[in-house]
Amino acid sequence: AEMAIQFGYTTMFVAAFPLATVLSLVNNYVEIRVDAWKLCQVMRRAEPRSAEDIGTWHGILEVVSIAAIFINSGLVAFTATNMTNYTWPMRVWTFILMSAGIFALRGFVAFLIPDMPEWVQIQVARQEYITGKIIDNVEDEDDDFINTKTNYEVPNFTVAATDFDPM
């Protein structure tokens, strides 16, 4: 929860205090180092627990990032000192266009970056294949290929009555 709150404050008010991103980075670096020292030196080993993904935090962070777009666009359009000479309708249009542009940029970046890297997709496919073979007893798709006479011949082994080995 602490990291989500920090993400919210950092992203939602970056237009008002841009140095907050650098301070958050420094804070997170120090916090990681202190937590690593505590885990290695002070505390007992934690019991490992598996998780499929980050759960409901993904939705929360999505809502915070969408709210950050509107808040920062509003801060720039309605409170920036360089916008004081513009009329209110012009400020509203600036807010709308800025929000739409940032949403478009956000969507484009989300399109460019895959949700799952290629090496993870390969490992997931391997895991599903092995699970299907071992647990579900799924047959190979190319079993017919192996059993055909044209592609595979059974060797003919014979046993001789005498051994002609000179040794």
Side-chain angles (χ1 to χ4, degrees):
E2 175 188 339
M3 295 292 280
I5 292 170
Q6 182 183 25
F7 175 74
Y9 280 127
T10 302
T11 57
M12 285 194 267
F13 302 109
V14 70
F17 186 56
L19 189 62
T21 55
V22 176
L23 294 176
S24 293
L25 179 69
V26 170
N27 176 49
N28 289 339
Y29 180 79
V30 170
E31 187 174 348
I32 285 172
R33 295 296 165 201
V34 169
D35 288 345
W37 178 81
K38 282 193 310 188
L39 285 172
C40 293
Q41 302 296 326
V42 178
M43 303 175 86
R44 295 176 69 186
R45 183 175 180 205
E47 186 71 29
R49 291 181 291 174
S50 65
E52 185 175 341
D53 55 10
I54 61 173
T56 57
W57 289 109
H58 182 266
I60 292 169
L61 294 176
E62 285 287 325
V63 168
V64 168
S65 67
I66 291 169
I69 292 172
F70 288 120
I71 291 171
N72 284 309
S73 297
L75 284 172
V76 170
F78 298 119
T79 64
T81 56
N82 59 351
M83 297 293 286
T84 55
N85 296 332
Y86 293 107
T87 62
W88 281 102
M90 186 64 179
R91 289 183 186 190
V92 171
W93 277 109
T94 303
F95 170 75
I96 292 171
L97 292 176
M98 181 182 281
S99 298
I102 295 173
F103 264 114
L105 181 65
R106 180 179 179 265
F108 181 68
V109 169
F111 172 75
L112 289 180
I113 300 172
D115 290 338
M116 191 182 302
E118 184 180 351
W119 64 273
V120 174
Q121 291 175 352
I122 292 170
Q123 292 299 326
V124 167
R126 261 188 209 147
Q127 185 69 30
E128 289 173 357
Y129 177 78
I130 291 171
T131 302
K133 287 299 210 185
I134 294 175
I135 296 175
D136 301 331
N137 293 326
V138 175
E139 294 185 14
D140 280 339
E141 296 170 357
D142 56 353
D143 276 348
D144 297 333
F145 173 77
I146 294 173
N147 294 332
T148 59
K149 286 271 186 197
T150 57
N151 295 323
Y152 178 75
E153 292 185 17
V154 178
N156 186 11
F157 294 110
T158 58
V159 179
T162 61
D163 187 12
F164 297 112
D165 191 14
M167 296 185 90

